[in-house]
Amino acid sequence: MNRKLFSRLPVMAVATIATGAFLLGHATAWADGDDGPETCSNRTLHGKYGALIQGTIALPGGSLVNGMGLPIRGLSLAEFDGDGHLTQVDHVVDNGVPPTVEWAPGTGIYQVNPDCTGSAEINSSSSPFPIKLHFVIVNHGREIDQVVDANAVTAVARKLE
């Protein structure tokens, strides 16, 4: 009888069920959340991520040059521990001037929300003050889109695989 029931199911329904089971298994694997397949947590960020940093910053005291900030470009390599802590190195070029330390070390903390948004605070020897930023985790935890709170600086980080 089971054979007759199975043979009556349209081929498309079988394909849809199989695809749904496959996607559900993969979604659950990347989220690491306790509230279902679409949640994120600090555990979602685990491992090394390389980032491209770009934007403009105001001079100390908040002043601008010709109404604009100074351009910065940089790279960073951060390692997230899955428990809210990170270590990193960065190489940031301010207004065309390379940094005095080739790869400046830093440490920080981060918090991931269930909706895959989050925030971080990084203390880097390349900055005289803590860097506060907000981010969104995308591409199943393989990418982080970021913006620095105090300036017009953004970064896109990709997981090293």
Side-chain angles (χ1 to χ4, degrees):
M1 180 146 202
N2 286 341
R3 235 179 221 180
K4 282 184 181 181
L5 178 61
F6 184 73
S7 67
R8 290 184 183 172
L9 285 175
V11 174
M12 191 59 146
V14 173
T16 302
I17 292 167
T19 302
F22 174 80
L23 292 174
L24 179 60
H26 279 73
T28 303
W30 79 266
D32 286 332
D34 297 326
D35 297 329
E38 295 185 5
T39 62
C40 286
S41 71
N42 285 351
R43 293 180 306 216
T44 305
L45 295 181
H46 189 271
K48 291 184 178 183
Y49 288 77
L52 175 63
I53 304 163
Q54 49 191 351
T56 58
I57 59 171
L59 295 172
S63 62
L64 301 174
V65 176
N66 296 327
M68 299 177 63
L70 297 175
I72 68 162
R73 301 289 183 267
L75 301 168
S76 72
L77 179 63
E79 184 164 5
F80 295 84
D81 70 356
D83 197 32
H85 301 92
L86 67 94
T87 57
Q88 73 158 40
V89 292
D90 62 52
H91 181 92
V92 179
V93 177
D94 292 325
N95 199 28
V97 178
T100 56
V101 176
E102 187 174 17
W103 289 103
T107 60
I109 57 171
Y110 67 94
Q111 177 63 47
V112 176
N113 301 317
D115 65 357
C116 299
T117 61
S119 59
E121 184 171 310
I122 302 168
N123 294 298
S124 172
S125 62
S126 66
S127 175
F129 51 87
I131 301 163
K132 295 181 181 184
L133 56 94
H134 282 82
F135 58 82
V136 176
I137 301 169
V138 296
N139 197 14
H140 304 289
R142 291 188 292 269
E143 188 173 303
I144 311 166
D145 294 338
Q146 308 167 62
V147 63
V148 176
D149 289 352
N151 290 291
V153 177
T154 61
V156 175
R158 288 180 227 110
K159 187 168 188 172
L160 278 65
E161 307 226 17

